[in-house]
Amino acid sequence: MILLNISNSSEVIASKVGKFLESLTPDGLDQATVEDIVVSKLIENLKAEGIKGEVATVKGLELQADDIVMHDAMRVRRRERF
């Protein structure tokens, strides 16, 4: 299993739409938008390599040092098989 944590979603959105527009969007929306883009590109590239599998974006997990912390409200936001 691979776990990917994107830590600069707001900066990515700001570089694409501008700092002012980014400041109008909530950080959660920025995170979800960047995750969706990354998942789509990841699936596209894995399919091109002939790899089959499943990708999910999960809300409520947090990486801390060598631990994965699960929060009470953990849920799958998006799940896609390829």
Side-chain angles (χ1 to χ4, degrees):
M1 180 174 288
I2 298 170
L3 180 63
L4 173 66
N5 180 34
I6 301 168
S7 59
N8 68 334
S9 298
S10 293
E11 290 94 4
V12 171
I13 297 296
S15 73
K16 302 294 182 193
V17 300
K19 193 68 174 164
F20 175 72
L21 289 176
E22 186 279 327
S23 68
L24 299 176
T25 62
D27 288 341
L29 182 61
D30 292 348
Q31 184 76 23
T33 301
V34 172
E35 285 176 355
D36 288 342
I37 292 167
V38 169
V39 165
S40 295
K41 292 291 186 179
L42 180 64
I43 290 172
E44 181 181 309
N45 289 318
L46 292 173
K47 284 171 108 175
E49 295 296 326
I51 297 172
K52 294 180 181 181
E54 182 175 9
V55 174
T57 55
V58 179
K59 192 171 185 155
L61 285 179
E62 186 178 344
L63 288 173
Q64 291 183 351
D66 292 335
D67 297 319
I68 297 174
V69 178
M70 293 187 295
H71 298 282
D72 294 333
M74 191 179 91
R75 68 178 183 86
V76 175
R77 193 179 66 75
R78 175 181 172 187
R79 179 179 173 188
E80 197 167 325
R81 293 184 180 161
F82 56 93

